[in-house]
Amino acid sequence: MKAVVKYDHQDNCVEVRDMPAPVINPDQVLIQVAAVGVCGSDIHMWHEHQSWKIKIPVILGHEFCGTIAEVGRNVHGFQPGERVAVETAASVCNECVFCRSGNYNLCPSRLGYGNLIDGAMAEYVAARPQILHRIPENVSFEQGCPGGADLRRQSHGA
Ligand SMILES: [Zn+2]
Ligand SMILES: [Zn+2]
């Protein structure tokens, strides 16, 4: 699949590349990406000005929505074809005090899309169902993608 990849720890090392499409495990769903925002943090990573850890190469993009293409066999409550927006906490430990109190966005082991896990400037992304939110019929993909359509939004950390 085509993807926007940051491929080195230097300024400007971002390009469209062919990357393998993600393969989901039984606890994940596969999202066909419909819209993805460009966050201020993406600009920092483009210029190698980020203050957080990233993997190289990494597919950028963490503010996105799309359509469920495939549902893992252990996942209940979601169906192929549903339109969803996706939170940024791609992976968390599920065991620390933050995870156990519902504040998994603060998990010290959190791996975010587009910096430590391949992100959504791509055709497909694997996601855990806990971070999916259905988008109502009357909300477009562009509107449903955080930071995608509303340029007045404040930027936030990656
Ligand atoms: Zn962001
Ligand atoms: Zn945790």
Side-chain angles (χ1 to χ4, degrees), residues 20 37 41 46 49 54-55 58 64 68 70 73 87 89 94 105 108 128 132-133 137-138 140 143 145-147:
S41 66
W46 174 29
H49 287 164
I54 64 173
K55 75 181 186 82
V58 65
F64 67 106
I68 295 178
E70 198 184 323
R73 69 171 182 276
E87 293 178 39
N94 287 317
N105 56 310
R128 57 195 181 97
L132 303 183
H133 302 272
E137 283 290 314
N138 64 342
S140 72
Q143 291 166 330
C145 148

Side-chain angles (χ1 to χ4, degrees), residues 7 9 30 71 122 130:
Y7 58 89
H9 280 297
L30 188 67
V71 178
Q130 293 86 352

Side-chain angles (χ1 to χ4, degrees), residues 19-85:
M19 298 289 281
V23 176
I24 58 168
N25 69 39
D27 299 314
Q28 292 179 315
V29 303
L30 188 67
I31 311 290
Q32 182 173 24
V33 179
V36 56
V38 177
C39 181
S41 66
D42 294 315
I43 308 299
H44 286 299
M45 289 185 277
W46 174 29
H47 290 309
E48 188 62 18
H49 287 164
Q50 72 280 357
S51 58
W52 51 91
K53 252 177 72 178
I54 64 173
K55 75 181 186 82
I56 292 290
V58 65
I59 300 174
L60 296 175
H62 58 274
E63 303 180 352
F64 67 106
C65 59
T67 304
I68 295 178
E70 198 184 323
V71 178
R73 69 171 182 276
N74 295 342
V75 175
H76 304 287
F78 286 101
Q79 303 295 328
E82 288 187 301
R83 302 161 75 242
V84 290

Side-chain angles (χ1 to χ4, degrees), residues 89-95 99 104-107 109-111 128:
S91 173
V92 295
C93 78
N94 287 317
E95 288 172 4
C99 285
Y104 54 81
N105 56 310
L106 301 173
C107 174
S109 304
R110 172 188 176 281
L111 303 179
R128 57 195 181 97

